[in-house]
Amino acid sequence: MTAPLPDLLITPIVQAALAEDLGRAGDVTAMACIDAEARLSVAFVSRKPGVAAGLACARLAIHALDPDATFEMRVADGDPLAPGSVLATAQGNARAILSAERTGLNLLGRLCGVATLTRAYVDAVDGTGARIVDTRKTTPGLRHLEKYAVRCGGGVNHRFGLDDAILIKDNHIAACGGVAEAVRRARAFAGHLMKVEVEVDGLDQLEDALRYGPDVVMLDNFSLDELRAAVAAAKGRAVLEASGGVNLQTVRAIAETGVDVISVGALTHSAMALDIGLDAI
Amino acid sequence: MTAPLPDLLITPIVQAALAEDLGRAGDVTAMACIDAEARLSVAFVSRKPGVAAGLACARLAIHALDPDATFEMRVADGDPLAPGSVLATAQGNARAILSAERTGLNLLGRLCGVATLTRAYVDAVDGTGARIVDTRKTTPGLRHLEKYAVRCGGGVNHRFGLDDAILIKDNHIAACGGVAEAVRRARAFAGHLMKVEVEVDGLDQLEDALRYGPDVVMLDNFSLDELRAAVAAAKGRAVLEASGGVNLQTVRAIAETGVDVISVGALTHSAMALDIGLDAI
Amino acid sequence: MTAPLPDLLITPIVQAALAEDLGRAGDVTAMACIDAEARLSVAFVSRKPGVAAGLACARLAIHALDPDATFEMRVADGDPLAPGSVLATAQGNARAILSAERTGLNLLGRLCGVATLTRAYVDAVDGTGARIVDTRKTTPGLRHLEKYAVRCGGGVNHRFGLDDAILIKDNHIAACGGVAEAVRRARAFAGHLMKVEVEVDGLDQLEDALRYGPDVVMLDNFSLDELRAAVAAAKGRAVLEASGGVNLQTVRAIAETGVDVISVGALTHSAMALDIGLDAI
Amino acid sequence: MTAPLPDLLITPIVQAALAEDLGRAGDVTAMACIDAEARLSVAFVSRKPGVAAGLACARLAIHALDPDATFEMRVADGDPLAPGSVLATAQGNARAILSAERTGLNLLGRLCGVATLTRAYVDAVDGTGARIVDTRKTTPGLRHLEKYAVRCGGGVNHRFGLDDAILIKDNHIAACGGVAEAVRRARAFAGHLMKVEVEVDGLDQLEDALRYGPDVVMLDNFSLDELRAAVAAAKGRAVLEASGGVNLQTVRAIAETGVDVISVGALTHSAMALDIGLDAI
Amino acid sequence: MTAPLPDLLITPIVQAALAEDLGRAGDVTAMACIDAEARLSVAFVSRKPGVAAGLACARLAIHALDPDATFEMRVADGDPLAPGSVLATAQGNARAILSAERTGLNLLGRLCGVATLTRAYVDAVDGTGARIVDTRKTTPGLRHLEKYAVRCGGGVNHRFGLDDAILIKDNHIAACGGVAEAVRRARAFAGHLMKVEVEVDGLDQLEDALRYGPDVVMLDNFSLDELRAAVAAAKGRAVLEASGGVNLQTVRAIAETGVDVISVGALTHSAMALDIGLDAI
Amino acid sequence: MTAPLPDLLITPIVQAALAEDLGRAGDVTAMACIDAEARLSVAFVSRKPGVAAGLACARLAIHALDPDATFEMRVADGDPLAPGSVLATAQGNARAILSAERTGLNLLGRLCGVATLTRAYVDAVDGTGARIVDTRKTTPGLRHLEKYAVRCGGGVNHRFGLDDAILIKDNHIAACGGVAEAVRRARAFAGHLMKVEVEVDGLDQLEDALRYGPDVVMLDNFSLDELRAAVAAAKGRAVLEASGGVNLQTVRAIAETGVDVISVGALTHSAMALDIGLDAI
């Protein structure tokens, strides 16, 4: 099981999402049609194959509206799902469960979608030794949840933000007058617990980039031949990260060049939600 | 131009997204590599064809970090984009612009993605009279932005939440003991400015559903033949909404059955971000 | 019993109100005079006749300061109250209950006041078929609670905000160059779940206003004769809403003109708080 | 002019009120009917006589939606208003002004209502030397605004919360075993900048209450004769506050008994909003 | 035991502090090294002598991450601590306790530090009748907690903010054209529950300052002789507060001059955190 | 000049601190004594030698209450201060400046205090090559400001939270059954941009700790001899951090053992505020 996030980091998001959906009047359909004391038993069921991630969101959504509802997880985050897999069951006040349904499913479906896509990439590079990592191309407000879903899918996390590692890109290099100088300044600035990564756009930048010992070199939009050349030149001198032009068709060949890490923006910016439904049981 | 949202409804999201990205230490790369007073001119450039939506997010991201930066829109929300289209240009403090880049692009790319996908559906039903509408399957916290992007793409909005219209589904019908009774209760509950929609799963429910005059009937997962039969039976007695199994391959045939409205969850839950970049100019 | 709001929509208001009252030092009188472990039993008692609304506010105020206190409702929201009626009893930590008292009473008294005034209007039109509805003239921050109280008093809700229905007024008509054109634009803009209402200031505007099929026509400041004429001309073609100059003396005559709906700003902007006290028992 | 509150204490309330009114979609009527670039000039006009209070709320509401709008105050908070008095004029984006209208008027009308009612009480006791003060029976979330409006009406503020003065009531006295002991404990607890007030329900408690030197004695629900007796016995030994059963018919007689201060809950819990309109000019 | 603050006033601070420490990814060390189900028993142990204050912060930090953890207080706020004193024990989920450790200790150590320093001042003036009070030189966001800690140490609180008492300083006096006039204006402005304090910089201002009956006179940076002279002149006419140049070496002599109150900014702006550790048991 | 934080990361703290100080009524002394239109010119002046840090806090405090005030920095963050040094001057509305004074000074004094203490440590190890770093023993809510102040003082930052680096301590080692296994698990968990540090309590743990290649080894409470031995054994195999028992008397000797980094909790948990005043000019 993937190490879970504390509820404290999820509850505010779930409550804000519920408030967004309930609006000012609350669930008028449930008020009109469902008895205040009615009970309901439901199952969260996957309609498609995938990977579980974010069950806590569904649990917290239901408990936000009915603290006494039961919620039983049937799978753990990171587990594979088949069509028809029951992720969890819940029982409680019918209005509460129906009012929480869409919020729970929106979060759960999105996170399972991220985990599912990540797993596809991870499986595609199986055995090569390359790790699949995410980017900062996440949904505003949900970064830590989406990065958690990446972990559920077997991926590994890149930076969490602008503040936890240095990543030197073209504009920084231009401002410093050269890639070596940029790395030198970064090294001088960074504390002993902060890593330094530098992005290079071609093989000709590679030696300069390595001069001041960056922890990671990002090889941006390199061809497979260029990647192989970079690996031959630099493997072991820094972690090598391939980036750009990565998709499920290309990722294995990229991994087989010997790079250590492959970053994939699509994991979070273009994952389709996994189709999960709430069935009365 | 699509009628814009007030900045007041966007600023909190942009600021929270920036805070999420800046973390506790801020943009350490910019601090290390970019002079505090350096200036930068940039263009937001589309790498793919699409539809513009959410330029205000990019503007507000930059102004949140440099209130004195210039930001010039070159297209309006709703305009078509070609590869290479410049959406906007900006000039200001280099650190500020680079620190705001990812936040601005994350929001802009997502909203353009929603608008672009919506436009594809709208174009696919062109001339049929059917309207493409969204659902509540939106990103938690971004619903009003994503529904705005649907409008930019030429779509129309369904309910904004659980509170602004009644939408009777299977669980509500079961709780009421029948579809007619459910609509009757909803009518009695609803104020004079609230509409009532009822979902039916088959033609056999249709007449019962119509008995108490709902404003809208959702025909859920109907075959094309069933849709045609429903249109023949009910057109003009209520707005008819097709839902379920809608994709870009099926949507035109659905529209040609004569339904009034086609709702598409994918507009928001599975749109891929449009690839937009920030180029120094 | 009026369908209750989820606690999730009330708790933030109660907690903010308590924080406002407790300030930075907390309840210094209770600290000075009441033993930390002392217990207290209290009853919320109405001093005047009225209608109950907002008991959840009192419950949540007490539980915010003593989660283990008991709180027993003796009436339900919407029930009539006589002088001396006990609305609820509570037992718990004495400091907590006394510190929560004013916050609980402020919210409860205000909401009972709204429900009580609403009931007076509803009773006044009894048998006429007209419905009493509220307006957006509510207390900032408390709109959904006050509209809930209107429902407790037997009233029905108008729009909840600027976003859930279109209401065309004089300035909009002027901007469109005429009432018919304004309704036409609104119809084109509105999704299939959004209603359109138009306000007219005189009988001469009525036919134009009806041309593009608004859902509701508001007859603003019409005399009784004008209302009767409007009903004769338009009943059944749109819902007819009387507005302006409504008070408890005039409301029945207005209702007897045959209008469908009467909106009353005073329900929320000028209701007097119901006098409720907290008695030790 | 009454000393104004800093905008910092008003802006969050205005912005929250606007967000409450704009909801998720914004002002759909303005979007549908008003051109995005249209301009509007308006005047805030009183329909009734009263006292101005809270003009900053109207200004901040308009500026929140159009930072470039002009807003010109024609009266100052605390000034008298006649029917037709123009409080302020504004000019700016038409959509922005119309979207801000209701929020601005809701706050302005409420605060003018409080100031107007306060002024009536203050005028009623003119020449007696008694001061009219408010209570903590305020609208949750708006206490500091309503207490400001009391000052605009010529009143004086009682405690702002549970924390800025000690006010010993019957439950506290019961818990301490007597009024003298309660005051003694309060004195021991209070810092040198915190005052102590004690409420007495009858003349027989008065000497005990005074024994340990409270700053203020509240004479709760005393008859006029009792008030006179209390004044005779205690004037100058503590500030004497009359409370309970105060209305515009009784307040002058109460003031003439010689009490120093008269507290009136109705100032805030039952003031009717002053009728103010927004006229296009 | 010092009267505790309601949890409602502490929980938001503890949760914000935890969120600050957990960041976006949570406690990665615990995730990597500690089993999700592992249990831990710990004791909060003082490494130094001091005074307890803020145990609720440690309790709430642990319960925020493990609501089912036990937390047993072994001392009460205000109790003396020796090296090795156990303040509390807790048992619960190991990850939760370790993740909460630093937040709990940061708050607890700071508040114990304030209480400890306060107690040193209070002990230093023992028997003189002078009271030790704090100032507004507190940590932004923690004022009410630090003032609570001052109470735990035996001190008394000065103003809680700019709003709960009037304190006239040199700039105010200059603006009024003299100290007497400043006090006169303050008296006229203040309600009957607000005290007025005036700061004087020399004996020559004293009589003027007293003319309009301030509640408190602050003698700022007076020498011991000047303090004695001020006491001789003014004792009993107002509370006399010594301020400025107070430290543990000078405080007793100051107290022996006969002043009523001695304010010490260092209590909150320069207290060292008490060294408290969390030991596995 | 130390690279400044974006205002976006400071403004919320300044506004919350002002709101805390203004309370519900605002600055009653300024209201009573200062004319609404009065102007004031002031200087922020250091009373003691030190290092500047946090001038933006003072600027934002003043601008929050008077957006049109001028604020001119005379020194930059990181600059040395002598008694009498003017840090900045401001001119604007007198009430606004006086109301902002304490909030501005509280933040500025605290941050200058941290920078000043840091500089003392940095100077003490001058020439040794050791870097002074902070810890997570910061003020709740102010961590990023205090870590910024550490940078202003010439120090370097350790982890910003539980999430941006792995730091294995005794409890984690115990849970893993040994230090080598703990580092192995951490390495497997960490992404390519996250560093791993491990704390050892004695020389006997050192080789085990190094087996799986941690980035940093913390030598906790080592004697000088032990530090020298650790340096001899491990220098260059990992960054070596000394921790525990560090003060201004011991720090140079520790630095001279050859460790790379010395972490000092006192920088943030026990820095005394620098004495800064606001003088009218």
Side-chain angles (χ1 to χ4, degrees), chain A residues 128-171:
Chain A
T128 64
R131 297 169 102 175
I132 299 297
V133 306
D134 53 33
T135 66
R136 283 166 46 244
K137 297 178 179 176
T138 56
T139 307
L142 303 183
R143 180 169 290 169
H144 61 295
L145 291 182
E146 293 183 344
K147 289 198 169 242
Y148 168 76
V150 166
R151 298 199 295 275
C152 291
V156 179
N157 300 134
H158 208 287
R159 290 203 291 180
F160 273 77
L162 289 162
D163 62 327
D164 58 337
I166 288 180
L167 174 40
I168 301 165
K169 299 194 172 188
D170 48 2
N171 284 308

Side-chain angles (χ1 to χ4, degrees), chain A residues 18-19 22-27, chain C residues 5-13 144-145:
Chain A
L18 280 169
L22 290 167
R24 289 158 298 210
D27 183 348
Chain C
L5 290 174
D7 284 356
L8 190 74
L9 298 184
I10 310 174
T11 299
I13 291 167
H144 62 293
L145 292 183

Side-chain angles (χ1 to χ4, degrees), chain D residues 233-246:
Chain D
K235 183 87 175 192
R237 297 166 67 193
V239 172
L240 298 179
E241 173 181 340
S243 155
V246 184

Side-chain angles (χ1 to χ4, degrees), chain D residues 24-280:
Chain D
R24 289 158 298 212
D27 183 348
V28 289
T29 312
M31 290 178 186
C33 297
I34 309 279
D35 189 75
E37 304 304 323
R39 309 284 298 170
L40 191 64
S41 290
V42 295
F44 290 85
V45 182
S46 184
R47 313 287 189 221
K48 295 278 170 61
V51 175
L55 278 160
C57 298
R59 171 173 52 81
L60 290 168
I62 286 177
H63 282 160
L65 296 184
D66 179 3
D68 297 325
T70 63
F71 186 94
E72 212 172 308
M73 285 174 51
R74 298 296 177 85
V75 300
D77 283 353
D79 283 356
L81 301 171
S85 291
V86 173
L87 290 86
T89 56
Q91 184 170 30
N93 179 278
R95 281 188 186 165
I97 289 176
L98 292 174
S99 298
E101 172 183 355
R102 178 50 36 219
T103 294
L105 289 177
N106 280 354
L107 283 161
L108 184 59
R110 169 176 301 270
L111 297 181
C112 290
V114 169
T116 300
L117 185 57
T118 303
R119 181 65 51 88
Y121 277 91
V122 169
D123 287 348
V125 302
D126 186 40
T128 64
R131 297 168 102 176
I132 299 297
V133 305
D134 52 34
T135 66
R136 283 167 46 245
K137 297 179 179 176
T138 55
T139 306
L142 303 183
R143 180 168 291 169
H144 62 294
L145 291 183
E146 293 184 345
K147 289 199 169 239
Y148 168 75
V150 166
R151 298 198 294 276
C152 291
V156 179
N157 300 134
H158 208 286
R159 290 203 290 182
F160 273 77
L162 289 162
D163 63 327
D164 58 338
I166 289 181
L167 174 40
I168 301 166
K169 298 194 172 188
D170 49 2
N171 285 308
H172 307 107
I173 293 170
C176 293
V179 65
E181 172 63 10
V183 177
R184 195 194 60 74
R185 286 196 204 171
R187 272 271 163 257
F189 181 90
H192 66 303
L193 283 175
M194 182 174 287
K195 289 202 175 180
V196 174
E197 176 167 2
V198 60
E199 174 187 312
V200 297
D201 296 327
L203 283 166
D204 53 321
Q205 280 185 302
L206 192 56
E207 279 305 318
D208 267 5
L210 289 163
R211 188 172 322 155
Y212 292 102
D215 296 286
V216 186
V217 177
M218 180 191 287
L219 310 163
D220 194 41
N221 281 313
F222 274 39
S223 69
L224 292 175
D225 280 347
E226 290 172 318
L227 287 174
R228 275 184 286 264
V231 168
K235 183 87 175 192
R237 297 166 67 193
V239 172
L240 298 179
E241 173 181 340
S243 155
V246 184
N247 57 47
L248 281 170
Q249 281 65 54
T250 61
V251 69
R252 180 152 194 104
I254 292 169
E256 289 174 343
T257 64
V259 295
D260 303 292
V261 168
I262 304 172
S263 55
V264 188
L267 297 187
T268 51
H269 73 56
S270 295
M272 290 179 49
L274 189 68
D275 189 2
I276 297 173
L278 189 79
D279 297 341

